[in-house]
Amino acid sequence: MEENITNRAIKQKTKKITMLFMTFAILTLLFLIAVVKIIALDRDIPSQFTTIHDRSFRGEIVSKDNYTLSKSQKSYTATIRGASIDPNKRELFVKLFSIYSSMSEDDVRAKLIDKKGEYKRGHIVLSKKLTQKEAMQLKSLSYKLRKLDVFRSIKNRNGIEVLYGLDIVENGESRIFPLHDNLSPVLGYVGKDDEGGYIRPVGQKGLERAYEKHITSKKDGYLRGKRDVAGRVIHDKNSIQKLRVDGLDLHINIPLSLQRRVELMLDSMKSKLDAQEIIVGVMESHTGKVLALASSNRYDPAHITQDDIESLNPKFAEYLYEPGSVIKPLTLAIALNHRVVTPNSWFKTGYYKFQIGKRRFISDDDFFESQTATDIIIHSSNIGISQISWRVTGEQFRDGLMAFGLGKPSGIDLSRDLAGRIKSLRLLDNQMHRANSSYGYGMMVSFAQLFKAYSAFNNDGVAVTPRIIDYLEDKDGTHYMLEPKVPDLHPIDKKSANQIHDILLKVVNDKKGTGRKARYDGLEIGGKTGTAHTVKNGHYVREYHSSFYGFANDKEGHKYTIGVLVIKAKKWHKYFASQSAVPTFRNIVQILVEEGYLKPDIKEDKSVDDRDIYEIEKKEETTQPLPLITPTTKQTTTTKPKTTTKPKPKAKPNRVYVKPKPKVKPKQKPKPKAKPKPKPKAQSTLDLF
């Protein structure tokens, strides 16, 4: 009995010891698991290593005369904890931050106050657009503010006292345009792309968009190594550095000195003509290098307002319109190239109403019984050019227009290059549609397309693609050339091109030429005018596009193609190309002479009449030269134009006012008395100008 009791006691004791041992083992195991888990967890202590990022920059855009037009810089954010500012030293903080950041005291104070007028206690963003210089100044201020006890410790969520200060953090890259509206909208503007909290600029229009992939680089640099107690990288054999690779710089063919003078001239002409907009271009006829591409409607890409929206798109290649009579030289060139006419071929044009379709009639403003093909261009005869277009087939005519670059992108290096529209072959096989297109109606073209097409008449039949960019450059100074997206065109042979060249000279030099106001003694000036109605809701209205495309050459071999488009001039009778686009063209030539791009060969004194042509533009409102011919001051230089124009003697009033000459009456057939001239449907006789 006693033995059983003893055995039972031993078993119970053994059981208790076993349970105690197992409990101890489990607790030990749990302890070890906890230790392992703690070891495995990331400890909230500073790492022995640190990395400093050096993010790449977008390339710069530089003018021909080495002005920086667009560049990038780092931007920084300044933040603060509202509750950490000592209330008794809040005004001191406001004043010092205002001085160091260039923000006004009122703006800084407004950041600290909420909508209820109470001071914020949480996280406050004081600025997101700090420059590198301002950021360095504010980092220095942050240290000084701590010394002045401007900040006080506050408890965080865990109840721990923490001293917060002024934090300056790099937040991205910003794009700046030092010269404001100069060369807009050609330069374009940028938007923003958020890359994990780091903001980068992205091209939206103009050159910024067209060359996005070339001026943008994602090859960031960094410096990685052991850190000291202040968090700085220790430079030793174990530190690793990778240099950043910035985007390529764009070097353009446009000199700012010339561009700015042209822009100021356009501002004056826009006001004088009360025009919606004026755009012009100047390029070397042999190379296609664009020396000026300007608009009267400009904006500051860094500060775009609601009023700037209509000006954001570069109209040089994005604005399509019916060109009018500037198409006539192309029509004649196609016929000359097919050898179906010569410059001296005669055509009967003595019609008061000339039928081109079943119920469609056209007329000319000047009555001539008959004219040569040359005279048809000089006098801008719709009747004559219609008959010339009938000498070629619809297919030949359409192929000829496309050979000049109409109906397809011009190749100009901007963000968008519209193709425009010309009539289908089915329509152009019809005489009425072919006649209608021969004088520039029923088609849509861009400024860049005609700008390119007219270069063929000053370049032996080769239409060169306008090129804004000269070359791209990397940090080592290596230059890269890009071929234009659309190659140069060969629409006509050399003989036909030179024949049109000579005819365009007569448009300017003939006494009845519509481009007479473009004359400049000692220079070879040629071109063609065009005035065409605009369309609203499918109907032609009394608003006009006036244009003049041509060339200006000197005897030293300088040859330039120049284009002018005046959009909706509202001044009475100023919408005629001869009264708007031609004087603008003449002013461009004057600027080219004063800047040394053209050198007139003047052997004899100018006649009074020739002098008056340009003097009208200067004396109409003031005796002082307008900004369009006044030497301009560059943003960073005071260099004056290479040549100056001597003041001219004042002309008599009867010479200053150029009266329209009476219409020439044909000898063969007397004109009916007081017979009103019928207006053609759809297209106006204004197109003759």
Side-chain angles (χ1 to χ4, degrees):
M1 185 71 180
E2 292 180 0
E3 185 177 355
N4 291 335
I5 294 173
T6 302
N7 291 336
R8 190 181 301 166
I10 292 173
K11 287 182 180 179
Q12 289 179 350
K13 190 175 182 178
T14 303
K15 191 175 182 179
K16 289 180 180 179
I17 293 173
T18 302
M19 289 181 63
L20 182 63
F21 176 78
M22 290 181 64
T23 302
F24 178 77
I26 291 172
L27 291 174
T28 303
L29 181 61
L30 291 174
F31 174 76
L32 292 176
I33 292 173
V35 170
V36 172
K37 188 175 181 180
I38 292 173
I39 293 174
L41 289 175
D42 291 332
R43 287 174 291 175
D44 190 17
I45 60 173
S47 172
Q48 294 182 352
F49 294 88
T50 188
T51 301
I52 298 176
H53 295 280
D54 186 16
R55 292 180 172 86
S56 61
F57 270 1
R58 192 178 181 88
E60 297 182 355
I61 301 179
V62 185
S63 71
K64 188 68 174 179
D65 42 3
N66 293 319
Y67 286 92
T68 300
L69 305 170
S70 175
K71 65 179 182 179
S72 289
Q73 65 179 13
K74 291 183 178 181
S75 62
Y76 297 80
T77 298
T79 61
I80 195 76
R81 288 268 183 171
S84 69
I85 304 176
D86 187 338
N88 298 323
K89 296 183 179 180
R90 188 177 286 121
E91 284 302 313
L92 175 62
F93 172 81
V94 170
K95 185 176 288 293
L96 290 176
F97 188 88
S98 172
I99 294 172
Y100 279 74
S101 67
S102 300
M103 289 176 63
S104 69
E105 291 185 22
D106 290 340
D107 289 341
V108 177
R109 197 175 288 108
K111 294 284 186 179
L112 302 177
I113 300 175
D114 60 19
K115 295 180 180 179
K116 297 180 180 179
E118 299 177 356
Y119 285 101
K120 299 176 183 177
R121 297 185 56 82
H123 183 79
I124 301 172
V125 177
L126 296 171
S127 177
K128 291 183 178 180
K129 299 180 179 179
L130 296 172
T131 64
Q132 190 168 9
K133 180 180 178 181
E134 292 169 340
M136 291 177 63
Q137 293 173 341
L138 289 172
K139 285 181 179 179
S140 173
L141 174 64
S142 178
Y143 175 76
K144 295 175 183 177
L145 292 174
R146 288 178 182 271
K147 290 291 185 181
L148 293 171
D149 294 328
V150 173
F151 304 119
R152 61 181 182 177
S153 299
I154 58 175
K155 290 184 179 181
N156 61 12
R157 293 179 179 178
N158 299 322
I160 301 174
E161 292 280 343
V162 179
L163 179 63
Y164 293 99
L166 176 63
D167 293 324
I168 310 299
V169 181
E170 181 182 344
N171 64 2
E173 172 189 351
S174 62
R175 198 71 168 164
I176 61 174
F177 299 84
L179 302 181
H180 307 294
D181 72 337
N182 289 179
L183 251 168
S184 67
V186 174
L187 288 179
Y189 63 96
V190 298
K192 296 179 181 179
D193 183 27
D194 191 338
E195 295 182 356
Y198 191 83
I199 305 300
R200 289 187 186 271
V202 179
Q204 299 294 318
K205 281 290 181 181
L207 297 177
E208 293 280 4
R209 174 66 180 273
Y211 287 86
E212 174 72 19
K213 67 178 181 180
H214 300 289
I215 63 178
T216 301
S217 172
K218 297 296 179 65
K219 297 181 179 179
D220 297 333
Y222 62 84
L223 176 61
R224 180 175 175 79
K226 290 184 178 181
R227 64 186 295 275
D228 59 16
V229 292
R232 294 185 292 264
V233 176
I234 300 173
H235 293 265
D236 57 20
K237 63 180 181 179
N238 296 319
S239 60
I240 302 173
Q241 184 175 15
K242 180 182 177 182
L243 298 177
R244 78 183 193 213
V245 179
D246 292 337
L248 298 176
D249 294 337
L250 295 184
H251 289 260
I252 67 176
N253 289 309
I254 301 175
L256 183 64
S257 56
L258 176 62
Q259 174 77 13
R260 191 54 179 164
R261 292 203 63 191
V262 172
E263 288 176 349
L264 293 176
M265 180 270 291
L266 292 185
D267 293 344
S268 174
M269 292 301 292
K270 178 185 177 182
S271 175
K272 195 170 190 177
L273 302 172
D274 191 16
Q276 178 177 306
E277 185 172 359
I278 307 175
I279 60 177
V280 304
V282 180
M283 75 172 172
E284 295 179 355
S285 297
H286 291 333
T287 65
K289 290 183 177 181
V290 176
L291 302 183
L293 197 61
S295 168
S296 61
N297 294 9
R298 302 183 300 279
Y299 59 91
D300 185 348
H303 302 92
I304 296 175
T305 66
Q306 187 72 23
D307 294 336
D308 296 326
I309 292 178
E310 291 185 2
S311 304
L312 297 180
N313 294 336
K315 287 190 173 65
F316 312 103
E318 296 189 30
Y319 183 78
L320 300 178
Y321 67 102
E322 287 184 299
S325 289
V326 290
I327 292 296
K328 290 174 182 175
L330 277 65
T331 300
L332 178 56
I334 295 168
L336 290 172
N337 206 51
H338 284 283
R339 305 293 187 265
V340 294
V341 298
T342 70
N344 298 318
S345 297
W346 285 88
F347 295 86
K348 178 176 172 55
T349 58
Y351 302 94
Y352 294 108
K353 291 174 61 178
F354 183 72
Q355 188 171 11
I356 61 172
K358 188 175 181 180
R359 286 178 292 184
R360 184 63 59 87
F361 296 85
I362 60 173
S363 61
D364 290 338
D365 271 9
D366 288 328
F367 186 95
F368 294 92
E369 187 64 36
S370 58
Q371 298 181 78
T372 64
T374 298
D375 294 331
I376 287 169
I377 301 299
I378 294 173
H379 303 138
S380 200
S381 169
N382 285 350
I383 295 174
I385 202 66
S386 297
Q387 295 179 65
I388 290 175
S389 72
W390 294 341
R391 294 285 184 93
V392 295
T393 66
E395 183 177 8
Q396 290 173 331
F397 183 64
R398 191 174 194 278
D399 289 347
L401 292 177
M402 295 191 69
F404 272 105
L406 305 190
K408 55 187 177 183
S410 66
I412 191 170
D413 40 352
L414 286 172
S415 53
R416 198 173 177 211
D417 189 9
L418 299 182
R421 174 177 52 81
I422 57 178
K423 291 182 177 181
S424 66
L425 179 58
R426 180 183 64 82
L427 291 177
L428 290 177
D429 278 336
N430 180 285
Q431 282 195 343
M432 184 193 73
H433 287 286
R434 195 151 72 251
N436 186 252
S437 294
S438 71
Y439 46 81
Y441 278 90
M443 63 172 64
M444 301 298 286
V445 303
S446 69
F447 174 89
Q449 288 173 328
L450 288 178
F451 192 41
K452 178 176 182 176
Y454 265 76
S455 67
F457 304 139
N458 202 36
N459 192 30
D460 295 334
V462 180
V464 293
T465 301
R467 302 192 64 171
I468 301 172
I469 298 301
D470 189 8
Y471 60 87
L472 295 91
E473 183 180 33
D474 63 18
K475 65 175 183 177
D476 298 323
T478 305
H479 292 185
Y480 302 90
M481 307 293 291
L482 295 179
E483 290 297 323
K485 296 179 181 178
V486 178
D488 296 345
L489 303 175
H490 297 74
I492 53 176
D493 57 35
K494 181 177 179 180
K495 179 181 177 181
S496 301
N498 290 335
Q499 287 173 332
I500 297 295
H501 178 96
D502 294 339
I503 293 173
L504 295 180
L505 289 175
K506 293 179 180 179
V507 172
V508 173
N509 293 299
D510 190 273
K511 291 183 178 180
K512 282 191 171 292
T514 55
R516 181 169 172 76
K517 279 192 176 183
R519 286 186 61 195
Y520 197 108
D521 281 0
L523 296 177
E524 186 181 59
I525 307 292
K528 182 69 186 77
T529 56
T531 305
H533 285 273
T534 61
V535 176
K536 278 187 179 179
N537 301 321
H539 299 282
Y540 289 99
V541 296
R542 295 187 66 81
E543 291 181 341
Y544 308 91
H545 288 118
S546 308
S547 57
F548 187 78
Y549 293 89
F551 51 82
N553 307 327
D554 62 19
K555 290 189 176 181
E556 295 191 11
H558 302 117
K559 295 189 173 187
Y560 303 107
T561 300
I562 304 173
V564 177
L565 173 61
V566 179
I567 301 175
K568 299 179 182 178
K570 297 180 180 62
K571 282 287 181 69
W572 179 248
H573 277 203
K574 290 292 185 180
Y575 51 77
F576 290 112
S578 58
Q579 301 293 325
S580 55
V582 175
T584 304
F585 181 100
R586 177 60 165 72
N587 293 341
I588 294 172
V589 173
Q590 179 71 30
I591 293 172
L592 289 172
V593 170
E594 292 179 358
E595 290 290 324
Y597 292 91
L598 287 170
K599 301 185 183 301
D601 181 28
I602 303 176
K603 296 181 179 179
E604 298 180 1
D605 192 19
K606 295 180 180 180
S607 67
V608 176
D609 290 339
D610 288 343
R611 186 163 57 242
D612 286 344
I613 292 173
Y614 186 61
E615 290 293 306
I616 292 172
E617 298 307 317
K618 292 163 56 178
K619 294 181 180 178
E620 193 168 42
E621 296 179 359
T622 177
T623 56
Q624 296 296 326
L626 291 173
L628 54 100
I629 60 170
T630 302
T632 58
T633 302
K634 297 178 186 176
Q635 297 287 341
T636 57
T637 183
T638 57
T639 305
K640 293 184 177 180
K642 299 178 182 178
T643 59
T644 57
T645 304
K646 294 181 179 180
K648 312 282 192 309
K650 290 185 178 180
K652 295 180 180 180
N654 63 335
R655 286 180 177 172
V656 172
Y657 178 70
V658 179
K659 295 182 179 180
K661 296 186 178 181
K663 297 179 181 179
V664 178
K665 295 182 180 180
K667 294 181 181 179
Q668 298 90 334
K669 187 177 180 180
K671 237 182 182 179
K673 291 183 180 179
K675 184 176 181 180
K677 192 176 297 184
K679 293 183 179 180
K681 296 179 181 178
Q683 56 272 354
S684 168
T685 54
L686 292 172
D687 183 57
L688 302 177
F689 294 89

